[in-house]
Amino acid sequence: MSDLIEDIILTENCLTKAREAGISIRKIFEAITYGTPWVTDLGGLSFYYGSIEVLTCANFEYAITVIDHGQDTTHQIALEDFSSIVPQNREHLVYAERMLS
């Protein structure tokens, strides 16, 4: 996992939800590393990659929960409108976090 962002703490809730949905820890870190970030209504950051969404706190320190959207791509389609303003490259993650806050 050396190429994945691993500096974030997975809360017990996040691990429980992942277990319930059959999502591996690697998939959580892939979503955070490669996913499209945006600010949630509550001020946290959300990372969407494939069908997996990981919600973090606003300062990106804790992964609070994980959701497997499965075949429902409505969430992803809605994000495509914003993909041009949100950098998807992992080296731009800090820039994206500042831009979205």
Side-chain angles (χ1 to χ4, degrees):
M1 276 200 247
S2 62
D3 62 331
L4 299 178
I5 293 173
E6 297 175 328
D7 294 338
I8 189 165
I9 298 166
L10 304 179
T11 64
E12 187 61 36
N13 184 61
C14 183
L15 292 171
T16 300
K17 295 291 184 185
R19 242 185 329 270
E20 290 171 359
I23 299 169
S24 69
I25 291 174
R26 179 169 182 84
K27 290 287 184 192
I28 294 171
F29 285 117
E30 285 176 356
I32 294 168
T33 303
Y34 305 114
T36 303
W38 73 92
V39 177
T40 67
D41 292 340
L42 299 175
L45 289 172
S46 179
F47 298 85
Y48 197 93
Y49 184 69
S51 66
I52 309 269
E53 180 180 9
V54 179
L55 297 167
T56 71
C57 60
N59 65 1
F60 186 64
E61 188 174 346
Y62 296 97
I64 299 168
T65 194
V66 62
I67 303 164
D68 184 357
H69 291 278
Q71 298 299 316
D72 180 13
T73 58
T74 307
H75 204 68
Q76 188 170 4
I77 291 169
L79 288 177
E80 288 178 4
D81 293 336
F82 300 105
S83 63
S84 61
I85 64 167
V86 179
Q88 296 183 28
N89 218 326
R90 71 176 272 216
E91 53 263 13
H92 295 294
L93 184 59
V94 173
Y95 169 75
E97 184 180 7
R98 279 192 230 127
M99 184 178 79
L100 294 170
S101 62

